[in-house]
Amino acid sequence: MAIMKANTAGATRIAMRGIRKAYPGVLALDDVDFELHGGEIHALLGENGAGKSTLIKVLTGALQRDRGEIMLDGEPVNFAKTGDAQDAGISTVYQEVNLIPAMTVTQNLTLEKTHGRFGFISWRKARAQAQQKLDRLGLKVELNRTVGSHSVAIQQMIAIARALDDDTKVLVLDEPTASLDADETAALFDVMRSLKAKGIAIVFITHFLEQVYEVSDRITVLRNGCKIGTSLIGDINRQDLIAMMIGRDLGEVEEAFAGERRDGSGEVVLTAEGVGRKRVLAPFDLTLRAGEVVGLSGLLGSGRTELVKLIFGALKHDSGTLKLANGTAGNNPRASLDAGIVLCPEDRKSEGLVGELSVRENIILSMQAKRGWLRKVSRAEQEKIADEMIRALAIATPDGEKLVRQLSGGNQQKVVLARALASSPRIMLLDEPTRGIDVGAHAEILTLIRTLCEDGLALLVASSEIDEVVASSDRVAVLRDRRKIGELTGEDITRDKIVTMIAGDNL
Amino acid sequence: MSALLNKKLLPFYATVAVFIAIFLIGGAMYNNFLSMRVLGNILADNSFIIIAAIGATFVILSGGIDLSVGSMIGFVGVCMAVLDSMGLDPLTTALLMMVFGFAFGAFQGWVIDALDIQPFIITLAGLFLLRGMCFMVTINSVPITHEWADLYSDIRIRLPGNGLLRSSAIVMLISLAAAIILAHFTRFGANVYAIGGDKESARLMGVNVRRTTVLVYAVGGLFAALAGVVYALYTKSGYPLAGTTLELSAIASVVLGGTLLTGGVGLVAGTLFGGMILGLISTLIIFNGSLNSAWILISSGVLLFAFMVMHRFLVGSFGLRD
Ligand SMILES: Nc1ncnc2c1ncn2[C@@H]1O[C@H](COP(=O)(O)OP(=O)(O)OP(=O)(O)O)[C@@H](O)[C@H]1O
Ligand SMILES: [Mg+2]
């Protein structure tokens, strides 16, 4: 404890006072104060839509505040654009990974960060600079490949590598660990701690409370755009912290996890026999039953996402057969949708949602597609379904007409789920369903998964969070190195067993 | 040049291959076709289109479009000719016109970004405006008679095999070299690719989107004006209808050169070959003699279509946008 306090005794780096920011119809930040010291890791917490990302964007000039002042090292600052904040030593990784997919790793790492004369770029120097950035995080990534050809997790690490400069005074990380697995998270935390030791101030936004307790020195909680309070991490226990965030106790929701595992006697709805694809995933067998949740566990890059995509037909298999209860499954998304299979993808930005459409329109999308465009869902019906979903999933939006692009990150994730549910599927494939979702909603979604199951839905849930898999699955399929290495059922589903399998021989 | 490695080059290679193939087919059909002389002529005859297309490449890479190119060529031509008849020398007028092109483009770029209006509409307005101004300047074809214009057209470099590199081709190749450096070795160039790839991300990564957009259209305008200068000196006259629909040929050259219309992917060098392919086709059909010039348009159309289909396939199966 004493050490922690010593760490936070650094000088005030950033002081934000009386910050107010309104979007049309929403007061995203209401008179918020925030203080950040040198050499501390300061966790910024709050439910989805609390205003965390907005506060960050106001700080870095990505958004202009309506009111309030920002001081950097005692001097008032006004960043007109993000580049200015970057130049002043504030490096930021925004919530939606922000890189240019079509450009190479080198180009992404050095964009607007090269210092050649007259604006010329020496690619030799840029490569060296990029390599240095990667080395800082111990990342092994080919410099010449495009960023878009890497997984979301690697992109996240590249974005962090990009943010770190020699002269970084303040590092802002908006949900950096949402798509990282345990090892990568640990690596990131090591980096954060060593930066902290150098006196760099770090803002860390996350929904994983264990991580908050693991690395942070202080916390600040926002709720509905208001600051609820700041505290040393040692002075607040988990329960009080959650109460601060959601304004009530979580107790009864967490109980829901403890449901019993079903024995898997339901009717078989999908069978995969020897389904695989060269260089993507070794042939695997898998059955899905009505009323059963199958968890999919494995490290990043072990083939979780690929397995889900193969079953959905978003990736074509080149071996084996996929059978539905009523015949062979189609080898393409269209046929899968018709057969009542839906997929909630991992990367909602590029694959999941249409940002320019409203929440209602997004929710109705799959359902309408399934019905065919000639039989239009009536407006009244659309509104009814949308309202139901918004209530059921507690999506923070004034009504169904808000554009999805304007929702907070976690609420966008909920819309992805809502859309899949609205099409009343028989088989639901969820890839990282709780990424970026706050504690309250996290529990609600897991509960929802269980309830759906009771209603006879078959679920396949891929997740990098082992605890989530343990909590929600009736059966767990474990993947390693692009190969399914086994299944666990009943009593065998424990964190330890899964970890041992994932780690394989080298443990 | 690390950025140029790998699959991103596929469309570029395809373009070069198509160019070589058409050239060889021409050689198989007509005796004198496969020669440096023909190549030199194609370069000279199409240099102004290629120069304009080089400017358009920047605009398209940034995710925009510029329809004012053809009218700019016409406007620059009549201004050159009329100023010539007033006794100004071609060098001064050329510089004047290029400053004008740069400023006009910059203005278009500013409107597009500041008022957030589709580039299609703004540059379409630019197209009408400049064409109208051509007729304000003159409604006749006006000759350019200054002796420097003759001096300019006498410049040539001998190539092996009886070929000639004429002045317009030389100007074009110098512009190309400058454009390649600008696109691939400057921060401006990197920013153009970035905003074409994902504008919002680019903004969050610290790219000054306003300045880049303004500069992109300014560069487009500058190259269009230079194309106008080259065209006027090549034809030694200014004519208010000159360059009509040329913006479309420029866009076609860019696309044939392997640049994605959605922005963010492509190479400046590809545009040279894209433009040369269009030039080759018309030369081939003229060589034939019995086909009328309608076939130039028809075969350009077919080729463009085929190329887009192939492009679609490449983008789909190799994930070029990733
Ligand atoms: N561009 C926008 N237009 C309108 N409203 C917006 C816009 N961006 C965010 N909002 C609203 O502002 C509020 C705060 O959003 P913000 O993104 O800051 O939440 P957050 O705390 O980061 O949540 P999450 O944990 O889900 O990322 C939300 O109610 C959101 O709907
Ligand atoms: Mg957020």
Side-chain angles (χ1 to χ4, degrees):
Chain A
M1 200 59 52
I3 301 171
M4 275 183 194
K5 289 210 169 120
N7 271 339
T8 58
T12 303
R13 262 274 133 87
I14 285 177
M16 301 175 80
R17 284 198 207 102
I19 303 293
R20 188 194 140 96
K21 172 75 197 177
Y23 294 110
V26 189
L27 188 54
L29 294 175
D30 186 7
D31 211 4
V32 171
D33 295 342
F34 180 67
E35 233 177 63
L36 183 67
H37 298 165
E40 75 164 339
I41 298 180
H42 194 133
L44 186 56
L45 306 170
E47 288 184 283
N48 296 134
K52 304 178 296 290
S53 301
T54 306
L55 187 67
I56 293 316
K57 288 187 177 164
V58 164
L59 169 64
T60 64
L63 284 174
Q64 296 306 313
R65 59 189 182 271
D66 301 338
R67 213 187 291 148
E69 56 173 2
I70 302 177
M71 319 276 270
L72 173 62
D73 291 333
E75 300 287 321
V77 285
N78 279 302
F79 302 124
K81 50 184 170 25
T82 54
D84 298 347
Q86 212 161 283
D87 293 342
I90 303 181
S91 303
T92 313
V93 180
Y94 297 91
Q95 184 171 10
E96 303 295 338
V97 177
N98 279 283
L99 296 170
I100 316 287
M103 293 173 85
T104 64
V105 174
T106 305
Q107 289 172 323
N108 269 285
L109 285 171
T110 59
L111 186 68
E112 282 304 80
K113 292 196 178 213
T114 55
H115 300 286
R117 222 177 297 160
F118 306 119
F120 282 102
I121 296 177
S122 150
W123 287 110
R124 193 177 47 77
K125 282 194 193 138
R127 267 195 300 277
Q129 190 185 345
Q131 191 60 56
Q132 193 195 346
K133 280 174 177 288
L134 292 176
D135 291 345
R136 220 175 265 159
L137 294 188
L139 274 178
K140 299 214 170 14
V141 180
E142 245 176 85
L143 287 173
N144 289 337
R145 263 177 64 186
T146 57
V147 159
S149 63
H150 290 96
S151 70
V152 180
I154 301 286
Q155 293 187 25
Q156 180 71 60
M157 294 301 280
I158 295 174
I160 296 169
R162 171 185 156 79
L164 284 175
D165 284 313
D166 289 332
D167 56 358
T168 296
K169 292 186 207 159
V170 174
L171 177 65
V172 181
L173 303 170
D174 194 347
E175 298 199 23
T177 54
S179 53
L180 301 186
D181 67 19
D183 287 349
E184 286 166 314
T185 304
L188 175 63
F189 286 176
D190 285 344
V191 173
M192 283 165 65
R193 289 195 190 97
S194 78
L195 292 171
K196 175 173 108 173
K198 286 186 203 143
I200 292 175
I202 302 177
V203 181
F204 175 47
I205 300 180
T206 185
H207 290 295
F208 298 109
L209 295 187
E210 318 82 75
Q211 299 184 356
V212 172
Y213 281 98
E214 193 182 337
V215 286
S216 57
D217 303 310
R218 288 200 300 164
I219 54 122
T220 289
V221 174
L222 298 181
R223 186 165 79 225
N224 281 333
C226 298
K227 172 171 165 175
I228 302 299
T230 297
S231 161
L232 284 174
I233 190 72
D235 294 349
I236 186 163
N237 69 27
R238 204 183 144 103
Q239 228 156 6
D240 294 342
L241 182 57
I242 293 178
M244 261 174 107
M245 287 165 65
I246 65 179
R248 64 188 151 87
D249 279 331
L250 192 62
E252 77 278 17
V253 200
E254 275 194 332
E255 294 300 306
F257 284 27
E260 317 194 326
R261 300 195 201 287
R262 273 150 298 224
D263 56 355
S265 54
E267 166 209 4
V268 173
V269 289
L270 182 137
T271 326
E273 278 169 13
V275 171
R277 183 180 162 93
K278 272 198 215 72
R279 287 193 301 280
V280 172
L281 196 64
F284 63 90
D285 298 338
L286 187 73
T287 51
L288 299 182
R289 292 195 179 83
E292 190 190 34
V293 182
V294 177
L296 210 52
S297 204
L299 293 178
L300 266 166
S302 61
R304 287 188 320 244
T305 297
E306 289 76 5
L307 189 148
V308 173
K309 282 190 172 174
L310 279 169
I311 290 191
F312 188 62
L315 268 177
K316 301 225 179 310
H317 55 262
D318 55 14
S319 69
T321 50
L322 258 183
K323 263 190 254 130
L324 283 178
N326 51 0
T328 307
N331 200 358
N332 66 66
R334 180 75 240 190
S336 299
L337 283 174
D338 287 345
I341 308 180
V342 291
L343 167 69
C344 298
E346 164 188 43
D347 182 0
R348 62 172 172 265
K349 195 179 175 192
S350 66
E351 298 180 42
L353 287 174
V354 188
E356 294 302 322
L357 291 182
S358 71
V359 172
R360 170 179 54 81
E361 287 163 318
N362 268 287
I363 290 180
I364 242 64
L365 212 58
S366 313
M367 182 185 169
Q368 180 72 72
K370 197 173 160 201
R371 274 213 199 179
W373 294 99
L374 292 178
R375 291 176 40 223
K376 203 165 171 341
V377 184
S378 78
R379 179 66 186 242
E381 203 179 332
Q382 290 189 10
E383 278 169 10
K384 188 167 145 274
I385 295 168
D387 287 346
E388 253 167 41
M389 288 297 169
I390 290 171
R391 207 161 348 99
L393 297 180
I395 301 174
T397 173
D399 55 40
E401 299 314 309
K402 191 157 180 157
L403 296 185
V404 158
R405 164 170 69 75
Q406 302 173 338
L407 292 186
S408 76
N411 283 301
Q412 295 189 9
Q413 183 66 25
K414 292 185 191 172
V415 175
V416 174
L417 281 173
R419 185 179 64 189
L421 286 174
S423 68
S424 32
R426 297 172 50 223
I427 301 175
M428 209 159 149
L429 313 172
L430 305 176
D431 195 1
E432 298 290 350
T434 57
R435 152 122 55 99
I437 284 186
D438 64 50
V439 265
H442 190 279
E444 278 159 30
I445 284 178
L446 291 189
T447 317
L448 185 81
I449 289 180
R450 305 291 311 187
T451 343
L452 286 170
C453 240
E454 319 261 281
D455 300 343
L457 192 73
L459 277 137
L460 180 64
V461 183
S463 173
S464 52
E465 268 185 86
I466 297 178
D467 293 327
E468 180 176 311
V469 171
V470 172
S472 63
S473 320
D474 300 311
R475 189 148 52 89
V476 177
V478 182
L479 296 173
R480 186 173 72 221
D481 295 336
R482 308 193 164 271
R483 178 179 299 282
K484 181 182 162 192
I485 53 172
E487 280 191 14
L488 296 171
T489 48
E491 302 282 274
D492 286 343
I493 305 181
T494 62
R495 187 184 169 89
D496 289 347
K497 287 235 163 83
I498 297 179
V499 170
T500 320
M501 278 180 86
I502 287 177
D505 311 331
N506 41 9
L507 212 155
Chain B
M1 176 68 234
S2 65
L4 304 190
L5 287 175
N6 71 41
K7 67 190 182 189
K8 286 217 159 342
L9 278 181
L10 282 177
F12 175 71
Y13 291 144
T15 306
V16 176
V18 168
F19 174 77
I20 294 174
I22 299 179
F23 206 29
L24 290 179
I25 292 170
M29 284 162 65
Y30 309 106
N31 274 339
N32 306 323
F33 196 84
L34 206 62
S35 66
M36 288 306 271
R37 203 167 57 82
V38 171
L39 195 65
N41 286 344
I42 294 176
L43 273 175
D45 292 345
N46 295 284
S47 51
F48 65 100
I49 298 190
I50 296 175
I51 292 173
I54 289 170
T57 311
F58 284 91
V59 176
I60 291 175
L61 278 176
S62 80
I65 197 92
D66 188 354
L67 298 178
S68 66
V69 170
S71 300
M72 177 66 80
I73 291 175
F75 180 70
V76 166
V78 288
C79 286
M80 293 271 299
V82 167
L83 288 174
D84 176 81
S85 66
M86 289 160 57
L88 237 61
D89 67 90
L91 190 63
T92 314
T93 52
L95 288 176
L96 268 179
M97 292 327 294
M98 284 164 66
V99 170
F100 170 78
F102 188 86
F104 187 84
F107 177 70
Q108 290 193 120
W110 183 83
V111 175
I112 288 165
D113 190 69
L115 308 184
D116 195 17
I117 304 178
Q118 244 107 50
F120 188 95
I121 299 301
I122 295 300
T123 58
L124 184 64
L127 180 156
F128 291 139
L129 184 76
L130 286 174
R131 188 60 70 187
M133 279 163 62
C134 290
F135 292 104
M136 296 291 285
V137 175
T138 176
I139 49 169
N140 301 313
S141 178
V142 182
I144 294 176
T145 51
H146 199 282
E147 55 187 6
W148 289 4
D150 296 324
L151 266 170
Y152 166 84
S153 44
D154 287 343
I155 302 174
R156 53 195 56 186
I157 297 174
R158 296 220 160 270
L159 294 177
N162 219 358
L164 284 182
L165 210 53
R166 287 176 216 279
S167 39
S168 23
I170 296 170
V171 173
M172 186 268 282
L173 291 175
I174 293 172
S175 321
L176 180 74
I180 288 177
I181 291 173
L182 189 61
H184 303 305
F185 297 95
T186 66
R187 282 171 80 151
F188 165 72
N191 292 351
V192 172
Y193 280 89
I195 66 172
D198 185 340
K199 191 147 133 194
E200 191 47 33
S201 292
R203 195 172 72 87
L204 288 177
M205 287 166 88
V207 173
N208 187 334
V209 174
R210 171 74 46 84
R211 193 176 61 199
T212 308
T213 310
V214 168
L215 271 177
V216 158
Y217 286 88
V219 167
L222 176 72
F223 277 99
L226 180 62
V229 170
V230 168
Y231 185 67
L233 291 177
Y234 186 59
T235 57
K236 290 226 183 85
S237 66
Y239 175 55
L241 277 175
T244 311
T245 74
L246 223 136
E247 59 280 347
L248 300 181
S249 307
I251 294 170
S253 306
V254 176
V255 171
L256 280 174
T259 299
L260 290 189
L261 264 182
T262 43
V265 178
L267 289 180
V268 176
T271 301
L272 169 70
F273 288 93
M276 292 285 282
I277 287 175
L278 290 181
L280 254 183
I281 293 175
S282 40
T283 311
L284 255 179
I285 285 164
I286 292 164
F287 245 75
N288 178 290
S290 68
L291 290 169
N292 73 35
S293 58
W295 286 99
I296 298 178
L297 288 176
I298 292 174
S299 35
S300 305
V302 169
L303 197 73
L304 197 59
F305 177 76
F307 205 82
M308 286 323 289
V309 172
M310 182 195 78
H311 221 161
R312 191 66 247 163
F313 169 76
L314 286 179
V315 170
S317 43
F318 294 93
L320 290 186
R321 275 197 70 81
D322 289 345

